[in-house]
Amino acid sequence: MKIGIMQPYFFPYMGYWQLINAVDKYVIYDDVNFIKNGWINRNNILLNGKKYLVTLPLDGASSFLLINQIRTTSKTKDKEKVLKTIAQSYKKAPYFENVISIVENTIMNESKFICDALIYSIKSVINYLDIKTEILISSELDKDNSLSSEDKVIHICKLLNGNNYLNAIGGQELYNKSNFEKQNLQLSFLKMNQQNYKQLSNDFVPNLSMIDVLMFNSPSSIREMLNDYEVM
């Protein structure tokens, strides 16, 4: 049983979705501290052939609050501005009509909390791509919340009867394989291979939000891309 655990982000890069697709159960880590200036409420899109950072406005964002305690802005116009930027950037993309509703329903989500919008986006994308992984919400698990960092990850894996924890390649700096082995858990890391695809008339701009991938590629093509990685 392969387990993945990651914070929710705003349409994160392809490697995030590869991780979801590669595991049996994926836990959205919503009850850990919010990281300011991270990727929870922002990401890069393609604008005029170049990388451009868009940010979902928040109210009272603080690293002393959990992700599921962070509120989105109450100013509808600010949300509409972000949506308009994305829509104008991708209106000529071949799959714009298929994808823009997912983006719009995420940004204009009626919930007061950013986490609800992000969970909606994650579930919508995996449904669009027909990913079969079971999605769980960390705050809904009956777990020991006194634990932290690596100990909590190991605890969640065992709680879900996992024997293999798969993490993004950046996790190599956070987790120790020997500590997992002591708990009869295999620790592996997923590294996305570089993927190129046709955008507009520009030279390819890599490492953008999943929005970019969805706008320029069919679901069947993306499903092939989901398996283009290495496990270390």
Side-chain angles (χ1 to χ4, degrees), residues 72-105:
T72 59
T73 182
S74 58
K75 299 176 181 178
T76 301
K77 287 186 178 180
D78 289 346
K79 293 181 180 180
E80 290 176 340
K81 183 178 179 181
V82 177
L83 177 60
K84 184 178 180 181
T85 298
I86 295 173
Q88 289 183 335
S89 299
Y90 290 104
K91 62 184 179 181
K92 294 182 179 180
Y95 297 94
F96 176 84
E97 296 297 335
N98 305 56
V99 175
I100 192 59
S101 61
I102 297 176
V103 178
E104 179 176 0
N105 291 336

Side-chain angles (χ1 to χ4, degrees), residues 65-202:
L65 295 175
L66 303 180
I67 295 171
N68 59 18
Q69 295 173 325
I70 302 295
R71 293 175 177 266
T72 59
T73 182
S74 58
K75 299 176 181 178
T76 301
K77 287 186 178 180
D78 289 346
K79 293 181 180 180
E80 290 176 340
K81 183 178 179 181
V82 177
L83 177 60
K84 184 178 180 181
T85 298
I86 295 173
Q88 289 183 335
S89 299
Y90 290 104
K91 62 184 179 181
K92 294 182 179 180
Y95 297 94
F96 176 84
E97 296 297 335
N98 305 56
V99 175
I100 192 59
S101 61
I102 297 176
V103 178
E104 179 176 0
N105 291 336
T106 299
I107 295 173
M108 305 304 295
N109 196 280
E110 294 181 356
S111 174
K112 296 179 181 179
F113 297 94
I114 183 64
C115 193
D116 293 331
L118 299 180
I119 290 172
Y120 166 84
S121 70
I122 291 169
K123 290 183 175 180
S124 296
V125 171
I126 67 172
N127 182 62
Y128 178 73
L129 297 177
D130 197 30
I131 295 173
K132 302 302 185 183
T133 302
E134 181 181 358
I135 302 298
L136 301 168
I137 311 302
S138 177
S139 60
E140 297 176 358
L141 298 177
D142 184 15
K143 63 184 187 303
D144 184 353
N145 289 309
S146 68
L147 299 173
S148 61
S149 306
E150 187 177 76
D151 290 336
K152 184 179 282 188
V153 167
I154 290 173
H155 171 62
I156 292 174
C157 288
K158 297 186 74 173
L159 187 67
L160 299 176
N161 298 313
N163 55 21
N164 188 337
Y165 176 56
L166 185 61
N167 194 245
I169 192 66
Q172 287 182 317
E173 300 176 2
L174 302 174
Y175 302 117
N176 187 307
K177 287 195 174 187
S178 64
N179 292 337
F180 281 77
E181 289 172 357
K182 291 175 184 177
Q183 299 295 326
N184 296 315
L185 290 168
Q186 180 182 345
L187 172 62
S188 305
F189 299 98
L190 185 151
K191 181 182 179 181
M192 181 186 79
N193 293 326
Q194 183 60 57
Q195 301 174 345
N196 290 17
Y197 51 86
K198 182 175 175 55
Q199 291 168 327
L200 295 172
S201 58
N202 56 281

